[in-house]
Structure formats: structure tokens, C-alpha cells
Amino acid sequence: MTPKKFAYFAPASLKEAIQLLRVNEDAKVLAGGQSLIALMKLRLAAPAALVDITKTGDLLSYIREGKGHLEVGALTTHDTLERSKIINKKFPILSDAASKIGDQQIRNRGTIGGSCCHADPAADLPTALTALESEFVVRGVKGKRVIPQSKFFVDTFTTSIAKDEILTEIQIPHTPPKSGSAYIKHSRREGDFAIVGVGAVVTVGPKKVCRDVRVSLGAVASTPIRAKSAERHLKGKTLDEGNIAEAAERANEEADPPSDMHGSRQYRLDMIKVFARRALNLALSRAR
Amino acid sequence: MRLHKKGLSTLTKLVREEPALWMGHPLKRKEDRRLLTGLGKFVDDIKLPGMAYAAILRSPYAHARILGIDVSKAERLEGVVCTLVGEEVAKLTDPFLQISSPPANKLKDYCLAVGKVHFAGEPVAAVVAETRSTAEDALELIDAEYEAVDHVLDAKEALKPGAPVIHEEVGSNVVFRGKWDYGDINAAMKQADKVVKKTLHFHRFSSTPIENNAVLAQYDKATGFLNVYSNNQMPMFCIPWVSFALKFPSNRIRMVTGDVGGGFGTKIISYPYIVLISLLAMRSGRPVKWIETRTEHLSAANHGNERMFEVEIPVKNDGTILGLKVKAWDDCGAYTRYEPAGATIWAQVTPGCYRFKNFQMEFLQVMTSKCPVGPNRGYSRMQHLWMIERSVDIVARELGLDPTEVRLKNFIRPEEMPYVTPSGGVYDGGNYPESLSRVLKLIDYWRWRKEQVEERKKGRLIGIGISTILDSGTNNFGQVKITNPENPFSGNSEGARISIDGLGGIQVALGTSPQGQGHETFASQVVADEFGVSPDQVTVLMGFDSAVNPYSHQSGAYASRCAVMGTGALLGAAKKVKEKAAKIAAHVLKADPESIEFKEGHAVDRDSGRKIPLWQIGNIAWVNNVLLPEGMEPGLVAIHFWRPDFGLPDEKWRLNQTLTYSYQSHAAVIEMDPETGKFKILKYAIVDDCGKQINPMIVEGQVHGAAAHGIGAAMYENFEYDEDGQLKSSTLVDYLVPTALEVPDLVTESMETPSLFAPKGIKGVGEGGGTPISAIANAVEDALTPYGVEISDSHQNPQRIYELIVKKRKKM
């Protein structure tokens, strides 16, 4: 199929892009287009206008050090994330997630900002960013504001970005030394949407005690969520197989998963436990 | 004239090392250069002057009455050329031919739904517009009103009294009911030490050709011709369906195909679309193009037959299988567009590779409110062979024997070839025990068996699955007389034309309408050997054009028939051309025509060693014909139609349903993750035997493709409907085709047991019989031995496996 008729704008600056979003009814930001165009082709989405932000001249593809956090430009592709040395070293959870998205062609064009704004609860990067307690920098007419992760994802396909705002950067707070992170997902094929996606960040204290832990879940609620009960259970305890397994048993308490042909609600609830345990163990093995 | 000699020798030099015979040589495919450089000619590459585009409105309901379809708003949209709805189709066309026997043949099938829709996705209206987007926009302006009625999604449910009837004119949902009974199954039951019983289910999936269906139709008012450019894979077989429905004379329908991005059977039943687009072309007075979308293809083109089995297998404690008693329910979806052919085609391979003589099959084919089925790589045999191969493993498990032992005990022996099966099939040679032992060696079976025991102690679940399956090819259309003796089809035939022009150029045209299998390459190899030239000197016309290519109404790419049937036709045409060329050469050389041989582009007199080049023979035949022998007709061209020796079914429905019986042994080693039900393939080995190979590289490609397709079916591809009759896997997000990451490295080996009946000893190849589906099912059950889980479904969905494990764990 072909999309419905739409207007296409390729503004020369972010400022102009924001203006276009303001004045055009039902306009959508186009980044890599790997979700939006597919939906438009099936006519499941039919925006009146697309505002392409890849030609603004404002460089939105970067990975750089900020103050106490790493800054990732919204137009950074999945492929760049997957291959970035700094990401692989500091936040392997993100390269794990990026490497499992779709196929190479999709990873070449798909962007971290696009994935977050699309807000598919089964998407990989939003789940990974949830475990990292990332912050989202958006720009609008009135300037810049920073949205914490907990306020960013509102519902399935819905974020708290206003109609005339553009996500420009994602800020990932640095983890303390002796931290490790991992993202793994259960899917039918390598690059499919997650049946269950789990992100884990662990910080090891003296005597292998869990100083901090964050577990995030994808594809099991209307947004990525945190498995708080599992986190509470593990925090302060020795990071051994038994405690991790016990915590993982609690990982599905906050989940409210849907059913589809690849996984029923019950199957997903069960798989959360398995993958939470595996993600925690992997994250722990990377903690240095 | 020297120029031409030079031309020929340059061409010959292109091939560095010429083998003694081109047959058997892994020649690179002639088609690949254009396909790999984007120069292929597909339907969507054709643009005719004034061409418009069609889009199709489809039913959102699985079963509903059509209360009204209002196209007025759509027709007012700027750029819309015309519309068409079912009511109009019922006036303009006749219902499609049906090959069932009464009452199922009363079914009324049109290219757009008339009165009622019978599955979600069924076409109900069409729009022609200046652009494809406008046509799709217009679909949204059509007001179609429905009244949903009860639907039925399960074959057994569809048989119950009071079940919704899909086609009232038929009176019930039954398409075909038949009983095959050979030997004495009751006596076998009495002799048995044990009767193994099992209920099995073969799931719905299909092929996913890279190119979907496509039709471009043009009605030429000047000549009265209907020109149809499509990718149908039996373009001349479907002429009666098209001609009768349109009430349009067959001798003015021109069917053209070009490059085709795969068919695998799914493009055989595209005739409703050919009729629909033709109607639109006639109505609009414009050439009309329609390119199917992937969602349309997945939800409404052609699914494979879904089948349920109740199996009883009488066995001896030593593993001897005494017979097979089966009840089968075949779910053919909402229409019978090639069915009930599938209700008999399984009987090409009634006993699989096994010797048992006692066999009973009660077969029921039933309609449901789902997408119609049709041929799909391994059509109907795949379901049957999966049931047999699964049963053999179940027998082994229940008797505590190794599955390879049970196979070896029951295989038909090589010395029994040609082997006549209980249903009259005549297996044309093969060595099944050797095939199995070779694949066991390839995969290192006994080492894995040891490793399996060791790994189990460490909590790792390794599973090993074996399957040996027949890949029957070149069907005898007489098989459809079983379901309806009135069907005017039997045997099989194919046409070829070979010409040597006045400059010595050899041109070949076939009726086989290739779908990407490399017909230009294999035909070049066969013809090159006949004339002692290189394949580069043989030009084979691409695609098919009924105004150009010779054809029979059985021409086409289906039933793994093209190498066998094409070669038969090519050899016949070559013989005719050579006989005439030899006479001309003998006349010039003053030699005996009997002593003329064709070598290195020349006709050579064996006795004197004197020779003349082919171009000179062509020159005499076409433009220098005063030099012809007295009384000889000018020209150097021959058409030959070839048919194998086939019969009709006897009163017990015994007949040889195919000419060749290739076979493959597959072995899979998997590792199961019992926590998730997901597994991965650790090693995969295949031994195939398709008789003498024309081009081993093409054969290997076919073996790989069929294996990938079977792995897809076993692990990923599944057409699942929800309660409302909506297809859940209607896009490639949910219909999971395996990618390069999912298909493991395949270790392959070939055997070459020549066919006892086919030309040059070749056998059809390419369908593969769905072997991985049973090899993997067997491996999964094997891996789960510690849990005692039984696998009764052909599709290994991780969730279902997990649930089976959980159920067993609870009991432990």
C-alpha cells in the first residue's frame, strides 16, 4: 500500500522545524522513519504533514561526555550506538538493545530519538533507557526543557512531548564504579519485537553486596516499566545466584502484559522472571 | 561469412574449460547477471501507455452478508477511472470452473464476492485510478455494509450439524470424502504386538515469494486481444478458468510472464485476479496494473493445506510397521480454487519410504471461513509425509528403539526398485538406507547420541531428529479423476521449440514459465550437449509468451516438473532438428546422414572426418535453399511435445501419480531451552538424491531453499486466526519468515540414483517435501525426553513447548 497524501517539509533549522510543527495541524516529526513510514504505508497512521529533522543542519547525531552524564543526540542511529566504543564500555545495555533492533538496514536508519518518541512499549531502547534513568532534552518555542524518564513515557505510542517540541538529546547519568548493565530480550527471531525485554543495571558494593539495582521491563505494560519489587528485594543483599533468582521471581509483580500470537499474558509473566534473572546475572558479570 | 565463424569461436572461448558434457556441470546461472544487476523484467517493470492502477477493497469479516456497496463517493474522487463490485461481476462473468464432484462443484466462485463474503480479506470491490495512491484513497470512500453471520474456523467444527455453511449452494462444508483401502489393515491390527495411536495436526503456512502476485491486463480494441502480463506459474493451465469466466475466446487471450520472484505454488491460483484486472481493463478501456501488497498476499492469496490426523499404527515389537490406518481432516479454507486436488495428491507417496502394504485412509476435505488453500511447495504430500515421519518416531519411542533402527527396518530396499506402492505409485529408483546412513555420518549421529546423555546430566537438553522423505515430481493429472472422474485432465505434457537460424544461432523456447529456478540455464546445458556447442551459444527465451513459446495446457512451473518435462521436450525437438541438419550436412558432404555427429559447432562425418559448421547448415536451410536436398522443406526448426507414460486410476484409485520420486534425508541437532521453550539448531545435515543432476549448483540452491522454507514452517511461519476469523499474522512483523540469521549452516551431500523412467535419468527437485518440519519436530520431542513431552503439532511455537513442559513438570 501507499500512504495517504501528506505534506513534507525539510526545514533548514530546528527553530524552523518547531515553527512548522506549531502551524501545521497533525504534523509529525520524521527522523529515521523506520516505524512511522511503515505505519503510514499500512495507513494505520496518516499524519497531514511530516517535518523531516534530518536536514536541519543542527547536528543531532553525537555521543559525548556531559556533566555527570553521557549525551546522545536524538538522531544517533542504532548502528552507531551498537558500534560506539564509549557506549560499549560504559553502557553495554544500550549496545545490547541497539544490536537487537530489526535488521541492519533498519539499524542504519533508525534513531534513538525516533524510537523513544514512537514509544512502542515493546521497543528495545526505551526499555534500556528506563533502567538507566535517562533524561530527555526537548526543544520548543520557549526553549529547552528536560523530562525525566519517569515522566517521558505516558502510554502506548504516547510521550509527554508537546506537539511543537522536538526531542534533541538523551542524557544518561553515569553509573558509579563497579556497575554493570545488560539488556536481553525474548523474541522469536533475532530482530523481532520483544515478547519480553529486560534491562538491568547493577552496582556492586563491598563484599559483593548490591549497592544499587535497576530492572526495567519492555513489552509487558503500556510503557516500559521498572520491576521495583525485584529491585527492593535485591538491594543491600549479597549478589549471589540465590538472591538474584529470588529477586527475579518478583520481577513480574508490576507487569500487566498483553497477549498476542507470540506470547500470551501468562507466558510473558513467566518469561519476565527468566529474563530478569539472566539480565541481572549478565549485568553482574560485567560489573567492574 | 567469415565474421560468423569468428563470432562463434569467440563465444566458445568465453568458457575456459569445457567439460565433456554440460549436463552435470555446475554452470553459473544465465539469469543471474540480469537479476543481480537490477535488470530483471518483472510485471511491475512494465509500463504501457495510458496505464491505470487498480486497488481492491476487501472484506473485514470472516463471514457476512453484503447488504450494499456504495461506490458513488469513490467514483467522484478526482483521478478515479472506474469501479467494480461483485453484483456487476455476477452479470459480466460466469463462476469459475470447479473440479470437485457434485455437490461441491455447485460452489459459485467469482473474482469479487457476490452476496456474501466468506473469509476476512476476500475481495469485494475494486477501483481503477490514475495512480495507485488515488485508487487506495478511493477504497476508503466506498461504503460497504455487511451483516455478520456465524463463521467457522475449524474443519471438525465445520462438519457438525448446525455449523455455519460457507457456501449454501453446496449444502454443507464437505468438499470431498474418500476412502483408500489397500491390503488388510484389520488383519495387520490383529497381528500387531502393539497399536500406536496418535492425533496430529499440521499447521497452516505458505510460501513467501519475494514478489507478490501481479497482473497487468490490456484489452486491445483494434485486434480484439486480451493481453495479460502476470506472474502466474501455470499461465496456460488457467486459460479455461479465465476464458470461461470472462466468456472470452481462448485464441485471443495472450498470456505473458517475465522474470518472476518465486512462486512455490502460491501463484497457481491467481486466476481470480487475472479475471478481475481483465474486467477492469475492458471496463476502463485502459491497461490496468495491479500489484498485490504483502498483507494482501499473506491474508488472501494462498495458504497451504491445514490437516488433522488420527493415526493408528500396528507394529511388531522389533519395530516392523505392519500398516497405517489414518483419518484425515483437511481444512481448505473458503474456496476450492485448485482443490480438491490436494485431497488426492498425498497419495503420490502413500507409504512414504516404507514397505508396509496394509493401508487405510479416510480423507475428508472441509471448507472453513479462512483464506483458501492451494499448492504450496510440497503440496499435500508434505502434510502426509510429516504425519508418517512423526509416526515412525513415535513408534520408535513407544517401542524403546532408536528411530534410525525403525527406519532401516522398514525402508523399501534398493533391490526392490522400481517399487510399486499400495496405491499404485511406481518409485523410480533410490537407496533410502544409504541416504539415511550418509546423513547420520554427516551429522555424526552416534557421537551426538553419546553427547546427549552426557549433556543431560549437566542440565543441557540436546535433541536429534531424523527424517527421510520423498519429493515426488511431474504429476499425472489423472490423479484428479479420483475426486471427479469427469475431470478432463490426465497425464502431463510440455512443449519446446529449437531453431537454428540462417546464421547458425541456436534459439530455444520452452513452455515452462520459470519462477526463478534457472530454466534458461538448464535448457542451455541440455541443448548444448545435443549440438556439441557451449551453453553460451544457446539462447533460451526468458519468461513465457503464449504468442511466442510453444506450450501445452499443462505447461508451467509446478510439481517439480520442469527439468524432467523440459528435458523430455528439448530432447525431442533436438532430435528433429538434428535429423534434418544431418540430412543437409550429409547432402553437402556427400555422406550418409547416419554417420553425421554434432561436435564443437559442426556437423561431422564420422567416416571421413569432413565437417561443415552449423551456420552453414542454417544458411542452406533458410536462405540458400537451392542447395537443400531435393524435396526438403526449408527451415531448421522443430517443436516437440513430450509426455511421460501415465495411466488412469483403477477402481481402487490405484495409479502412478508422478513420474519421479526424489528423496532427501535430513538430520537436525537442536538445543532446547526448557525455561522458555525456545530452541536453536546446532547442526543440520541433508543428503538429497534427485537422480542425474543437470546443474549441481542449481540443485544445491534448491535443496538449501527448501530446507530454509521447511525450517521456517517448523519454527517461525504460522497463519493463526483469532476467534473472529481475523488473521493474526497478516504482515511480516508477525508472519515470521526465517532470515539468514535463523537458517543454520547446511551440510549437504548428494547421491545420484538415475531415474528408471525419466529422460537422462533426472528427477524433479526443489520442493524438498517439507523434510525439516518432521526432522525438527522429531528433534524437539527427542530433546524433551526427560520431560516425556509429546509433539503432535508441525509448528514448534516456543510458548506451546513451554506449556507442555510446565504441564509435565507439575506432574513430576
Side-chain angles (χ1 to χ4, degrees):
Chain A
M1 277 178 86
T2 56
K4 273 195 168 183
K5 206 173 271 180
F6 61 91
Y8 171 82
F9 299 100
S13 70
L14 269 184
K15 208 174 152 191
E16 196 189 330
I18 291 161
Q19 275 307 321
L20 284 164
L21 290 171
R22 238 166 82 89
V23 299
N24 281 284
E25 275 300 310
D26 194 25
K28 270 274 200 189
V29 174
L30 176 69
Q34 297 305 292
S35 302
L36 181 57
I37 299 296
L39 288 177
M40 287 170 67
K41 199 168 68 79
L42 291 169
R43 299 199 172 199
L44 294 172
L50 290 185
V51 178
D52 185 346
I53 58 164
T54 63
K55 297 174 172 68
T56 58
D58 298 82
L59 199 62
L60 288 179
S61 171
Y62 54 79
I63 298 169
R64 67 189 178 208
E65 281 298 340
K67 284 175 189 159
H69 58 243
L70 194 73
E71 296 172 350
V72 179
L75 289 182
T76 306
T77 64
H78 309 326
D79 182 72
T80 306
L81 279 181
E82 182 189 346
R83 291 169 203 275
S84 152
K85 276 192 188 134
I86 184 161
I87 295 280
N88 270 286
K89 191 164 163 241
K90 297 200 167 167
F91 302 109
I93 179 174
L94 278 185
S95 34
D96 287 349
S99 71
K100 300 277 188 297
I101 300 170
D103 52 39
Q104 186 60 50
Q105 287 87 336
I106 288 172
R107 294 193 291 274
N108 286 345
R109 293 199 66 89
T111 66
I112 187 170
S115 177
C116 291
C117 294
H118 184 57
D120 186 326
D124 301 300
L125 284 171
T127 305
L129 291 168
T130 296
L132 291 168
E133 291 187 333
S134 310
E135 299 195 307
F136 296 80
V137 181
V138 298
R139 273 179 53 184
V141 188
K142 288 174 215 151
K144 180 169 117 163
R145 68 180 177 119
V146 179
I147 310 174
Q149 185 278 323
S150 58
K151 300 262 165 59
F152 186 81
F153 298 107
V154 176
D155 203 344
T156 303
F157 301 131
T158 310
T159 68
S160 55
I161 302 181
K163 170 184 154 17
D164 54 359
E165 285 180 324
I166 293 171
L167 174 68
T168 59
E169 183 178 287
I170 292 134
Q171 297 179 343
I172 306 160
H174 282 304
T175 48
K178 299 207 98 185
S179 293
S181 70
Y183 173 84
I184 54 172
K185 72 170 163 183
H186 187 33
S187 59
R188 294 289 294 275
R189 296 175 306 182
E190 183 79 12
D192 284 331
F193 280 109
I195 297 170
V196 168
V198 181
V201 183
V202 193
T203 306
V204 188
K207 294 185 187 169
K208 237 188 146 186
V209 163
C210 176
R211 206 178 117 193
D212 195 15
V213 60
R214 279 167 265 150
V215 177
S216 64
L217 309 174
V220 296
S222 58
T223 65
I225 57 166
R226 289 273 290 275
K228 295 270 188 187
S229 173
E231 292 175 4
R232 277 195 301 274
H233 185 82
L234 201 54
K235 214 165 174 174
K237 292 216 175 77
T238 311
L239 283 162
D240 58 26
E241 243 178 69
N243 284 331
I244 286 177
E246 273 180 34
E249 281 299 306
R250 291 167 167 78
N252 66 6
E253 284 178 18
E254 292 85 356
D256 182 17
S259 284
D260 70 18
M261 69 177 288
H262 307 301
S264 67
R265 178 185 168 83
Q266 187 56 49
Y267 183 60
R268 284 171 204 256
L269 287 171
D270 290 2
M271 290 306 107
I272 291 171
K273 298 179 188 175
V274 174
F275 284 83
R277 192 189 74 232
R278 291 179 183 181
L280 281 166
N281 280 322
L282 183 57
L284 178 62
S285 75
R286 286 167 173 176
R288 273 176 224 123
Chain B
M1 284 298 143
R2 277 178 61 200
L3 192 78
H4 299 113
K5 273 191 201 168
K6 207 176 157 195
L8 281 182
S9 62
T10 317
L11 277 170
T12 313
K13 273 183 197 154
L14 288 176
V15 183
R16 280 193 199 111
E17 275 178 54
E18 288 199 21
L21 280 178
W22 288 100
M23 172 144 171
H25 190 72
L27 186 70
K28 280 191 182 169
R29 300 192 341 151
K30 286 187 144 188
E31 296 86 345
D32 287 348
R33 179 195 283 262
R34 70 167 183 270
L35 294 173
L36 294 174
T37 54
L39 296 173
K41 293 180 194 306
F42 299 86
V43 175
D44 207 8
D45 292 314
I46 307 171
K47 288 178 179 66
L48 297 179
M51 189 169 79
Y53 300 80
I56 298 170
L57 184 74
R58 291 169 183 278
S59 165
Y61 292 100
H63 199 189
R65 272 175 234 299
I66 301 170
L67 300 180
I69 301 174
D70 181 358
V71 293
S72 54
K73 269 187 262 169
E75 287 194 329
R76 283 199 295 274
L77 183 71
E78 197 189 328
V80 167
V81 177
C82 71
T83 64
L84 189 70
V85 298
E87 290 300 322
E88 296 170 297
V89 166
K91 286 182 197 131
L92 293 167
T93 69
D94 280 344
F96 291 119
L97 282 182
Q98 295 295 322
I99 61 168
S100 307
S101 54
N105 66 350
K106 290 183 185 157
L107 188 154
K108 289 208 168 25
D109 183 11
Y110 294 94
C111 63
L112 292 176
V114 177
K116 218 171 75 162
V117 290
H118 309 79
F119 69 99
E122 180 171 5
V124 293
V127 176
V128 176
E130 297 296 340
T131 69
R132 184 172 169 171
S133 295
T134 307
E136 286 170 1
D137 288 344
L139 294 185
E140 295 178 19
L141 299 175
I142 297 176
D143 285 324
E145 233 189 297
Y146 304 90
E147 181 194 18
V149 294
D150 287 347
H151 56 269
V152 61
L153 301 169
D154 177 271
K156 283 186 180 173
E157 292 294 322
L159 288 170
K160 287 184 178 163
V165 176
I166 316 282
H167 296 278
E168 281 90 358
E169 63 273 23
V170 174
S172 82
N173 295 318
V174 175
V175 176
F176 172 80
R177 189 191 293 268
K179 192 171 176 179
W180 283 254
D181 203 351
Y182 304 114
D184 189 343
I185 193 70
N186 294 327
M189 295 287 178
K190 276 180 205 147
Q191 282 169 31
D193 293 327
K194 187 172 186 168
V195 177
V196 177
K197 293 182 185 177
K198 192 89 184 173
T199 301
L200 300 170
H201 173 251
F202 193 94
H203 75 295
R204 247 176 196 250
F205 70 98
S206 190
S207 310
T208 319
I210 200 158
E211 183 199 21
N212 295 322
N213 282 306
V215 183
L216 165 56
Q218 175 196 41
Y219 175 63
D220 185 335
K221 274 186 205 152
T223 60
F225 259 71
L226 175 64
N227 299 316
V228 177
Y229 305 84
S230 81
N231 51 14
N232 185 287
Q233 57 191 107
M234 293 168 84
M236 296 318 287
F237 186 83
C238 75
I239 280 289
W241 276 262
V242 175
S243 171
F244 292 153
L246 288 172
K247 298 178 260 193
F248 194 96
S250 58
N251 57 356
R252 281 195 273 119
I253 302 175
R254 180 177 165 212
M255 297 294 261
V256 184
T257 68
D259 281 315
V260 176
F264 313 102
T266 65
K267 287 173 180 160
I268 288 174
I269 62 169
S270 67
Y271 58 82
Y273 292 121
I274 291 176
V275 167
L276 174 63
I277 305 306
S278 298
L279 277 178
L280 293 170
M282 291 172 183
R283 169 165 281 199
S284 64
R286 309 264 297 262
V288 175
K289 182 189 272 185
W290 171 73
I291 306 292
E292 188 182 47
T293 69
R294 185 59 68 181
T295 294
E296 288 181 306
H297 186 79
L298 292 171
S299 54
N302 178 85
H303 290 182
N305 299 55
E306 181 179 353
R307 205 172 285 173
M308 281 172 279
F309 302 94
E310 280 176 15
V311 190
E312 291 179 56
I313 318 147
V315 290
K316 286 284 190 191
N317 283 333
D318 68 354
T320 305
I321 297 171
L322 299 173
L324 187 61
K325 184 178 177 184
V326 191
K327 278 187 187 172
W329 291 261
D330 186 272
D331 174 351
C332 74
Y335 284 102
T336 48
R337 287 182 175 154
Y338 200 80
E339 299 305 314
T344 64
I345 281 178
W346 60 268
Q348 292 175 0
V349 291
T350 298
C353 299
Y354 305 102
R355 307 175 76 203
F356 60 82
K357 303 278 187 197
N358 306 304
F359 176 83
Q360 192 185 86
M361 166 71 87
E362 283 182 69
F363 197 102
L364 255 165
Q365 188 171 58
V366 188
M367 288 183 279
T368 59
S369 315
K370 294 190 280 192
C371 175
V373 305
N376 169 43
R377 199 184 214 156
Y379 182 34
S380 187
R381 295 96 81 199
M382 164 172 66
Q383 290 81 347
H384 184 75
L385 293 165
W386 177 81
M387 175 271 292
I388 292 180
E389 287 301 296
R390 192 73 276 276
S391 298
V392 171
D393 257 51
I394 293 164
V395 164
R397 185 165 303 282
E398 297 217 353
L399 295 176
L401 299 170
D402 189 274
T404 60
E405 199 185 327
V406 176
R407 283 184 171 76
L408 287 170
K409 187 170 259 329
N410 291 286
F411 273 152
I412 294 159
R413 318 265 191 261
E415 61 274 17
E416 292 173 306
M417 293 290 177
Y419 181 83
V420 181
T421 72
S423 58
V426 187
Y427 292 173
D428 61 333
N431 190 334
Y432 311 145
E434 191 191 332
S435 164
L436 179 63
S437 57
R438 280 215 205 180
V439 87
L440 295 182
K441 206 169 156 196
L442 268 189
I443 201 124
D444 213 348
Y445 183 78
W446 296 107
R447 185 181 67 79
W448 279 110
R449 279 281 175 229
K450 269 184 220 149
E451 206 154 304
Q452 180 179 44
V453 176
E454 291 307 308
E455 293 299 324
R456 255 180 216 160
K457 289 176 195 158
K458 297 179 212 156
R460 273 182 79 201
L461 295 181
I462 306 288
I464 312 155
I466 305 292
S467 179
T468 301
I469 261 178
L470 286 161
D471 190 4
S472 47
T474 305
N475 62 311
N476 172 0
F477 277 93
Q479 66 202 2
V480 296
K481 288 190 189 287
I482 291 175
T483 50
N484 182 3
E486 303 295 317
N487 277 328
F489 312 107
S490 63
N492 206 319
S493 55
E494 188 52 273
R497 184 183 66 233
I498 300 177
S499 58
I500 299 179
D501 64 31
L503 310 180
I506 303 175
Q507 195 190 68
V508 174
L510 277 164
T512 52
S513 67
Q515 308 275 301
Q517 301 94 333
H519 294 185
E520 291 166 47
T521 307
F522 97 73
S524 298
Q525 289 180 258
V526 169
V527 173
D529 282 346
E530 289 303 303
F531 290 95
V533 296
S534 115
D536 288 326
Q537 287 164 265
V538 180
T539 289
V540 182
L541 300 187
M542 66 95 73
F544 175 81
D545 183 340
S546 61
V548 176
N549 296 54
Y551 62 83
S552 86
H553 281 291
Q554 294 166 325
S555 285
Y558 60 92
S560 301
R561 69 187 278 285
C562 294
V564 170
M565 295 299 302
T567 300
L570 287 168
L571 293 178
K575 186 165 177 265
K576 290 176 186 171
V577 171
K578 278 161 69 179
E579 273 169 10
K580 186 166 183 182
K583 279 182 195 161
I584 297 169
H587 183 66
V588 173
L589 299 172
K590 299 195 170 45
D592 177 6
E594 295 293 315
S595 68
I596 298 292
E597 287 176 339
F598 293 89
K599 270 195 233 168
E600 290 161 8
H602 288 75
V604 186
D605 175 18
R606 208 187 298 119
D607 301 333
S608 66
R610 292 175 62 218
K611 57 184 184 180
I612 69 163
L614 283 181
W615 68 262
Q616 205 173 334
I617 299 174
N619 168 260
I620 293 169
W622 293 101
V623 289
N624 207 359
N625 57 47
V626 175
L627 304 186
L628 278 174
E630 205 181 320
M632 184 182 273
E633 170 192 7
L636 194 50
V637 56
I639 295 181
H640 188 80
F641 294 94
W642 188 73
R643 74 175 178 110
D645 188 14
F646 276 136
L648 295 175
D650 69 7
E651 72 293 345
K652 291 204 79 180
W653 294 348
R654 279 177 298 218
L655 88 157
N656 187 26
Q657 291 204 21
T658 64
L659 184 65
T660 69
Y661 296 85
S662 298
Y663 55 98
Q664 300 196 341
S665 289
H666 286 217
V669 179
I670 65 150
E671 180 173 0
M672 174 62 69
D673 177 354
E675 285 192 315
T676 64
K678 196 174 161 176
F679 59 94
K680 60 178 178 218
I681 299 173
L682 301 179
K683 198 171 178 190
Y684 203 98
I686 303 169
V687 174
D688 77 280
D689 184 350
C690 61
K692 282 285 177 197
Q693 299 183 4
I694 301 172
N695 185 323
M697 190 158 60
I698 291 180
V699 168
E700 195 176 355
Q702 292 278 12
V703 169
H704 276 238
H709 194 180
I711 288 167
M715 298 174 65
Y716 305 104
E717 300 182 32
N718 188 13
F719 285 129
E720 218 175 279
Y721 284 83
D722 70 11
E723 294 169 359
D724 296 328
Q726 300 294 327
L727 182 65
K728 292 189 203 170
S729 36
S730 64
T731 72
L732 293 179
V733 172
D734 290 312
Y735 190 79
L736 309 176
V737 178
T739 71
L741 294 173
E742 280 73 44
V743 180
D745 285 341
L746 304 168
V747 190
T748 61
E749 212 176 274
S750 273
M751 290 164 60
E752 281 191 277
T753 313
S755 168
L756 297 168
F757 311 123
K760 301 261 184 200
I762 59 182
K763 300 182 184 181
V765 68
E767 295 185 71
T771 327
I773 311 173
S774 42
I776 289 171
N778 291 344
V780 168
E781 186 171 289
D782 186 56
L784 294 171
T785 303
Y787 294 97
V789 164
E790 289 186 351
I791 297 298
S792 56
D793 202 287
S794 54
H795 185 64
Q796 312 311 326
N797 175 311
Q799 180 184 322
R800 188 164 45 219
I801 294 172
Y802 170 79
E803 285 166 356
L804 289 169
I805 294 171
V806 169
K807 214 186 276 174
K808 288 286 180 182
R809 262 198 201 134
K810 278 181 187 156
K811 283 186 193 159
M812 275 174 169

